[in-house]
Amino acid sequence: MAARRVLGACAVLMVGSLALSACGGGADAKKDDKGSQGGTKTSSAAIVISAKNGSTGASINSTGVKVSDGTLTGVKMTVAGTGQDVPGAMGSGGGSWKPKEQLERGTKYEIAATAKDADGKSVAAKSVFTTVSKANSFIGTYTPDDGTTVGVGMPVSFGFDKAISDKKAVQSHITVSSSSGQQVVGHWFGSQRLDFRPEQYWKAGSKVTMKIDLDGIEGADGVTGVQEKTVSFTVGRSQVSTVDAKTQTMTVVRDGKTLKSVPISTGSPEFTTYNGQMVISEKYKKIRMDSRTVALANAYDIPDVPDAMRLTQSGTFIHGNYWYNQGNPPFGRTGTSHGCVGLRDVKGGQSDTPAKWFFDNSLIGDVVIVKNSPDKQVAADNGLNGWNLSWSEWTAGSAV
C-alpha cells in the first residue's frame, strides 16, 4: 500500500485536524529580537503554519495554523496577489486556526499570523504557498449524495477523474459501513471506477456511512487525492420489481408483499431488453429521448417522454409511453420498444396511469429485475448493476 504522501518538505505530525511540520514550522516564526540586544526575554510562543513557505502541493483540507506555548492573536489568510480574504475560524482557546471552507486546487495563498505567550511577548509568522494542482491530484465523484434516502439496491459508486494505478491505497482509504452490520466490499471496474456493496441488498431502514480519507494519498505516480469527507445516506423500504418479458407484466413487491401487477411492453424482437438486476439511477418527470444518442440513427426522437427512470448507462429506461395508447396498445401483450420497458401513460404524465403510479412509488436505488427476455444479461458496469456478479466474482475485484 502506498504511504500517505507528505505535502511539503518536512515530516508531518498530526495534531487535531492540522498537519504540523516537525522541522520547526511551515514558516519561520519571528520572535521578539530584543533578547539579542542585552536582556529582553524573547517570546516562548511558537507559531507553525502547516504549509511551508514557498511550498507547492499544499493540502486543500488540512492547511492551517497552530501555536504552542501561547495564544494566537490574529490570523489573516488571502489569495496571494489579489487581497481576497479567506475566512477562517479560531480553535478553542486560540491555539489553532483553519479556513472555514476547503481551499481551491492550484491556487497561491498567503497566511500571516501573530501570537503572544503568557508574559504578553509577541511572535509573528508568514507563509506564501501553493496548493496541489489539478494536474497532480485526483477527485472521486460519488453517489449517493449525503442525506439522501435510497432503495435497497443502491451501491456506493466512485468515478475518479484520473486513472488509479495504486488501487489498494485508494480503496483502503475509503470505508463503507452499514448500521445493519452487513459486510461491504469494494470492486474495481477498470482503473477509474470503484463500487461498494454488501453480498445481498441493503437491509431496509439501515444507515450507510462512507468515510473518504484520500487527502494526500498517492493514487498514481505523482498524483494524490484531495478529499476528506464523511457521507451518510439512509436505505428506505425494500422495493424490487420483476419484469417478465414473456408475459409482458411487471410485479412490484414492497417489503415482501406484492403491491401491484402492471402491464408493460418490453423491447421488440429486433431491439430486445437486457435481462438481469438493474438499479434505478436517475428519475425524470419528462425527458427527451433521441435514438441518435444510442446509435440507432433516426429511429425516434421524442421530446417529452414522461415518468422516465434510467436502468443502464447505455440507454435502457423504464418509462411512460403515451404514443401507443391509441387503437390497440401493446401493454401486457407484446414488446414494441427499442429496448426500454414501457408503461401506459398520457402526454405530460399527470394522470393516474401505471407509469405515473410506478414513478411516484419508486426511489433511486430501487431494483428492477428483467427475466425471460431473449437478450443477454446486462453487464455489471452498465449502470449501477453490480448485483449481476456473484459474491465471489465481486470480492475478486477488490484490491484490499
Side-chain angles (χ1 to χ4, degrees):
M1 182 181 75
R4 179 179 292 274
R5 191 176 182 190
V6 176
L7 301 180
C10 303
V12 169
L13 172 66
M14 296 305 296
V15 179
S17 62
L18 299 181
L20 303 185
S21 168
C23 61
D28 294 331
K30 297 181 180 179
K31 297 185 178 182
D32 190 326
D33 61 4
K34 292 182 181 179
S36 63
Q37 303 299 319
T40 302
K41 184 180 179 182
T42 60
S43 174
S44 61
I47 298 173
V48 176
I49 300 174
S50 61
K52 184 177 176 65
N53 188 44
S55 65
T56 59
S59 172
I60 65 173
N61 295 290
S62 60
T63 294
V65 183
K66 184 85 173 180
V67 65
S68 60
D69 296 326
T71 303
L72 289 170
T73 54
V75 177
K76 184 176 179 62
M77 183 174 185
T78 58
V79 178
T82 70
Q84 177 185 344
D85 285 333
V86 177
M90 197 74 74
S92 178
S96 63
W97 180 96
K98 62 181 180 180
K100 288 184 177 180
E101 303 291 339
Q102 187 182 65
L103 303 180
E104 296 293 332
R105 289 187 288 175
T107 303
K108 192 173 185 179
Y109 292 97
E110 180 175 334
I111 294 178
T114 56
K116 63 181 180 180
D117 63 14
D119 296 326
K121 301 293 184 180
S122 296
V123 62
K126 182 178 179 180
S127 179
V128 180
F129 58 91
T130 303
T131 53
V132 62
S133 69
K134 290 184 179 180
N136 293 323
S137 61
F138 69 88
I139 281 181
T141 302
Y142 57 82
T143 190
D145 291 335
D146 186 45
T148 55
T149 298
V150 299
V152 295
M154 188 69 184
V156 172
S157 184
F158 283 83
F160 298 104
D161 62 353
K162 291 183 177 64
I164 302 300
S165 57
D166 195 340
K167 295 178 180 178
K168 185 176 181 181
V170 171
Q171 184 180 336
S172 63
H173 285 85
I174 302 173
T175 59
V176 182
S177 60
S178 173
S179 63
S180 66
Q182 292 171 274
Q183 181 189 11
V184 184
V185 175
H187 180 100
W188 287 89
F189 294 108
S191 61
Q192 291 183 250
R193 177 174 167 184
L194 172 63
D195 286 12
F196 292 83
R197 52 157 270 212
E199 182 174 3
Q200 305 296 329
Y201 300 145
W202 302 105
K203 299 295 184 183
S206 58
K207 183 178 180 180
V208 180
T209 301
M210 50 178 166
K211 294 183 179 180
I212 308 166
D213 183 27
L214 292 173
D215 190 31
I217 300 301
E218 189 170 72
D221 187 24
V223 179
T224 58
V226 294
Q227 290 166 292
E228 194 85 26
K229 195 170 187 180
T230 298
V231 176
S232 297
F233 61 90
T234 301
V235 180
R237 76 290 178 275
S238 171
Q239 182 166 298
V240 179
S241 303
T242 301
V243 170
D244 190 332
K246 184 176 181 180
T247 64
Q248 294 296 308
T249 59
M250 178 174 67
T251 302
V252 182
V253 176
R254 181 177 293 179
D255 295 326
K257 297 181 180 180
T258 300
L259 279 186
K260 187 176 287 192
S261 184
V262 182
I264 52 89
S265 180
T266 57
S268 68
E270 184 181 3
F271 301 104
T272 51
T273 304
Y274 287 127
N275 286 292
Q277 303 173 74
M278 292 175 254
V279 173
I280 295 173
S281 59
E282 297 173 329
K283 293 182 68 179
Y284 300 94
K285 192 61 187 172
K286 182 172 68 175
I287 190 174
R288 179 183 179 183
M289 291 190 177
D290 185 344
S291 59
R292 291 170 296 181
T293 65
V294 289
L296 289 178
N298 295 315
Y300 57 85
D301 186 359
I302 305 169
D304 55 355
V305 177
D307 299 318
M309 293 175 281
R310 182 182 291 277
L311 299 178
T312 72
Q313 195 59 38
S314 62
T316 307
F317 281 75
I318 183 165
H319 62 76
N321 179 322
Y322 64 80
W323 49 95
Y324 283 144
N325 272 338
Q326 304 300 318
N328 194 18
F331 309 108
R333 295 172 45 252
T334 186
T336 56
S337 80
H338 288 80
C340 292
V341 178
L343 297 87
R344 184 176 64 83
D345 214 333
V346 296
K347 194 175 181 66
Q350 299 302 314
S351 297
D352 185 16
T353 61
K356 182 179 185 301
W357 176 87
F358 188 64
F359 184 92
D360 291 346
N361 282 276
S362 295
L363 293 173
I364 287 177
D366 281 349
V367 180
V368 177
I369 301 173
V370 178
K371 66 178 185 178
N372 295 327
S373 172
D375 207 331
K376 62 184 178 181
Q377 178 172 282
V378 65
D381 61 348
N382 187 1
L384 302 176
N385 299 327
W387 301 103
N388 293 288
L389 295 178
S390 68
W391 188 237
S392 61
E393 290 172 321
W394 184 264
T395 57
S398 173
V400 177

